[in-house]
């Protein structure tokens, strides 16, 4: 147990302290696996890969893709998945490896995660033809994972909210309204058997008129919003696939791009239509989105932005106020991410909150609850507060 702790501290402090560890613990040295781990960490966190403890600087990962591919394979074999994601992200920041990510043999060895997707999207204009297929496969793996996590819950929350009052006599177990069945049949409780014996069942309607709600999603393309953009794109495509929703999707920096058609096809295609980076003109994007509002009481507008406005702030406040007062369900998400709330303009967020519009960060797992609450007409300020407080616990 003590030897394992010494080994961990040695790996944390790096190869430059090898001699000191040997002096304090005669005969101590890393085993073969430990040496490989040490070299893998040293490639990112220091320049002392020499194994003799001399501290002589040597090359890091070097400029060749084969060396990086081996390094990626090593860290995936040696460390837990969550640690691999951190090391990969640090490699990008510390060693300037963005160009190496564009080689197909390198991309094949990268663990698919949302950080790597953000990096590839930021570099997509530089990806050579030889690497595009590998890049799409990596992005596809992450998108499919997010889709698996979110799709069924989002669909359930939307259909449950929209169909909450519509019932049908046609039996269908997935559409059974269990709450109403229990309430209406409590009188039939069998004391001896300790169970309710229903004499009538209630089911939600399976078919309703299409396009009952319009959902407008306005996505900030700032580089700091990478995770939120990826989750938002998947969410948009799920919404677009549901007949009861008329979904509009817009992405913006200083310009506005309408991605509505793309969200009806494939989340990966939609992501490739987004350009990370650039300035920010939220006011212009909200003005563009406002044209889609036809029936305010049946419209939900979701602005996903860190609120660092480069456009006309007074105009933005005026447009958001007009949407809110017309009856549109307006939400501002400063983050849609598993990583917590990033830096955002708290001053502008407070101004928006004074209108009655909540501005807060939301993790993807709370998204279905948020959407359902908005569609059911819940107080969004109270709902956002509950979601935020639950996230902190």
């Amino acid at each position: 147990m003590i030897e394992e702790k010494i080994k961990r501290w040695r790996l944390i402090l790096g190869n430059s302290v090898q001699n000191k560890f040997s002096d304090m613990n005669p005969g101590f040295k890393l085993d073969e696996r430990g040496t490989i781990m040490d070299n893998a960490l040293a490639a990112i966190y220091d320049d002392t890969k020499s194994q003799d403890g001399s501290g002589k600087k040597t090359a890091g990962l070097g400029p060749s893709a084969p060396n990086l591919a081996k390094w990626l394979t090593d860290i995936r074999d040696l460390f837990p998945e969550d640690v691999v994601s951190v090391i990969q992200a640090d490699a990008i920041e510390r060693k300037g490896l963005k160009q190496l990510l564009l080689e197909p043999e390198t991309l094949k060895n990268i663990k698919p995660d949302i950080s790597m997707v953000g990096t590839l999207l930021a570099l997509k204009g530089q990806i050579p033809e030889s690497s595009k297929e590998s890049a799409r496969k990596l992005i596809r793996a992450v998108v499919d994972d997010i889709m698996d996590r979110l799709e069924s819950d989002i669909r359930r929350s939307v259909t449950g909210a929209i169909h909450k009052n519509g019932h049908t006599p046609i039996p269908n177990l997935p559409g059974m309204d269990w709450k109403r069945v229990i309430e209406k049949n409590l009188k039939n409780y069998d004391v001896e058997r300790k169970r309710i014996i229903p004499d009538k069942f209630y089911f939600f309607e399976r078919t309703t008129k299409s396009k009952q709600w319009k959902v407008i999603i306005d996505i900030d393309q700032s580089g700091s919003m990478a995770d939120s953009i990826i989750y938002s794109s998947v969410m948009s495509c799920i919404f677009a696939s549901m007949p009861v929703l008329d979904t509009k999707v817009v992405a913006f920096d200083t310009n506005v791009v309408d991605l509505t058609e793309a969200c009806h096809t494939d989340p990966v295609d939609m992501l490739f239509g987004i350009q990370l980076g650039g300035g920010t003109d939220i006011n212009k994007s909200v003005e563009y989105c406002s044209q889609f509002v036809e029936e305010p009481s049946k419209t939900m507008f979701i602005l996903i932005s860190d609120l660092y406005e480069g456009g006309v702030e007074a105009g933005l406040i005026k447009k958001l106020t007009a949407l809110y007062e017309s009856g549109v369900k307006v939400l501002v998400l400063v983050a849609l991410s598993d990583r917590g709330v990033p830096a955002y303009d708290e001053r502008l967020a407070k101004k928006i909150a004074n209108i009655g519009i909540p501005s807060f960060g939301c993790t993807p797992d709370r998204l279905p609850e948020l959407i359902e609450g908005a569609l059911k007409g819940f107080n969004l300020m109270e709902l956002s507060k509950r979601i935020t407080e639950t996230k902190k616990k």
Side-chain angles (χ1 to χ4, degrees):
M1 183 67 177
I2 295 177
E3 289 183 0
E4 182 63 25
K5 288 183 177 180
I6 293 174
K7 174 184 174 183
R8 289 187 179 186
W9 274 110
R10 164 60 184 77
L11 290 172
I12 290 170
L13 296 173
N15 189 62
S16 61
V17 301
Q18 176 62 41
N19 289 339
K20 293 182 180 179
F21 268 71
S22 297
D23 291 342
M24 291 186 295
N25 302 276
F28 169 80
K29 67 177 183 179
L30 295 173
D31 56 19
E32 181 179 359
R33 180 179 175 84
T35 299
I36 296 173
M37 293 176 74
D38 189 38
N39 287 339
L41 292 172
I44 299 304
Y45 299 107
D46 60 44
D47 293 315
T48 56
K49 285 180 61 181
S50 58
Q51 296 179 22
D52 60 2
S54 66
K56 181 181 178 181
K57 289 187 178 182
T58 62
L61 294 180
S64 69
N67 287 345
L68 178 56
K70 180 182 183 305
W71 176 80
L72 288 166
T73 301
D74 284 345
I75 65 167
R76 292 178 69 179
D77 289 342
L78 295 168
F79 299 99
E81 284 193 11
D82 56 341
V83 177
V84 171
S85 296
V86 172
I87 295 175
Q88 285 183 173
D90 285 349
I92 301 302
E93 295 301 320
R94 289 169 175 260
K95 294 295 180 178
L97 301 177
K98 290 184 178 180
Q99 290 302 321
L100 297 181
L101 289 174
L102 305 182
E103 298 297 330
E105 60 266 38
T106 301
L107 287 170
K108 292 176 183 177
N109 288 288
I110 292 178
K111 172 186 172 290
D113 64 31
I114 200 162
S115 295
M116 293 300 104
V117 171
T119 300
L120 288 173
L121 291 177
L123 297 171
K124 70 177 188 291
Q126 304 171 42
I127 298 177
E129 287 297 327
S130 60
S131 298
K132 284 185 177 178
E133 186 56 34
S134 296
R136 287 188 71 90
K137 285 182 179 178
L138 188 150
I139 294 172
R140 168 68 61 192
V142 174
V143 166
D144 286 349
D145 177 65
I146 296 173
M147 188 70 78
D148 289 342
R149 289 170 54 192
L150 297 182
E151 184 170 22
S152 60
D153 286 342
I154 287 179
R155 286 182 175 277
R156 191 179 303 114
S157 66
V158 171
T159 55
I162 290 179
H163 297 173
K164 65 182 184 297
N165 295 320
H167 293 85
T168 173
I170 303 174
N172 61 95
L173 185 59
M176 185 175 292
D177 183 352
W178 290 103
K179 183 174 182 294
R180 192 173 185 195
V181 168
I182 293 171
E183 288 177 347
K184 295 294 184 179
N185 288 283
L186 283 175
K187 63 182 183 296
N188 298 320
Y189 181 75
D190 188 316
V191 178
E192 184 176 340
R193 298 182 183 180
K194 295 183 178 180
R195 64 185 61 183
I196 294 174
I197 310 297
D199 59 11
K200 188 172 182 179
F201 295 87
Y202 299 86
F203 304 88
F204 290 119
E205 293 178 355
R206 301 193 64 160
T207 59
T208 62
K209 66 176 184 178
S210 63
K211 312 303 182 191
Q212 293 192 48
W213 273 79
K214 179 168 287 182
V215 178
I216 306 167
I217 303 169
D218 195 16
I219 307 171
D220 188 338
Q221 295 185 118
S222 301
S224 60
M225 299 292 294
D227 285 15
S228 298
I229 290 168
I230 295 163
Y231 281 115
S232 300
S233 297
V234 175
M235 172 184 71
S236 300
C237 290
I238 294 172
F239 286 164
S241 69
M242 303 185 68
V244 294
L245 299 180
D246 181 8
T247 305
K248 303 291 183 183
V249 183
V250 168
F252 68 92
D253 41 36
T254 53
N255 295 307
V256 176
V257 180
D258 195 320
L259 296 174
T260 300
E261 290 301 319
C263 80
H264 284 277
T265 54
D266 187 323
V268 176
D269 291 336
M270 182 176 164
L271 284 169
F272 272 99
I274 287 175
Q275 180 61 58
L276 290 178
T280 307
D281 193 336
I282 310 173
N283 177 50
K284 182 188 289 186
S285 73
V286 175
E287 180 178 14
Y288 181 87
C289 292
S290 297
Q291 67 179 304
F292 300 126
V293 178
E294 297 171 342
E295 189 178 355
S297 63
K298 291 293 183 179
T299 301
M300 178 163 55
F301 175 64
I302 306 174
L303 172 62
I304 302 167
S305 172
D306 55 16
L307 298 178
Y308 288 110
E309 173 65 309
V312 182
E313 183 179 298
L316 171 62
I317 294 296
K318 183 177 180 180
K319 291 177 180 62
L320 289 175
T321 301
L323 287 172
Y324 174 77
E325 291 181 348
S326 72
V328 174
K329 305 294 182 184
V330 184
L331 288 164
V332 176
L333 300 182
V334 296
L336 181 56
S337 170
D338 287 312
R339 300 197 212 196
V341 180
Y344 68 98
D345 191 330
E346 296 185 31
R347 179 191 56 80
L348 182 52
K350 288 178 181 177
K351 283 188 176 183
I352 294 172
N354 288 336
I355 300 170
I357 299 172
S359 300
F360 63 107
C362 179
T363 55
D365 62 300
R366 303 305 300 272
L367 185 60
E369 177 187 354
L370 178 64
I371 299 303
E372 182 174 14
L375 294 174
K376 285 184 174 179
F378 292 175
N379 184 306
L380 296 183
M381 294 294 286
E382 293 180 1
L383 179 59
S384 66
K385 183 178 179 181
R386 184 167 72 246
I387 289 175
T388 303
E389 289 177 347
T390 302
K391 182 174 60 176
K392 290 179 181 178
K393 292 179 180 179

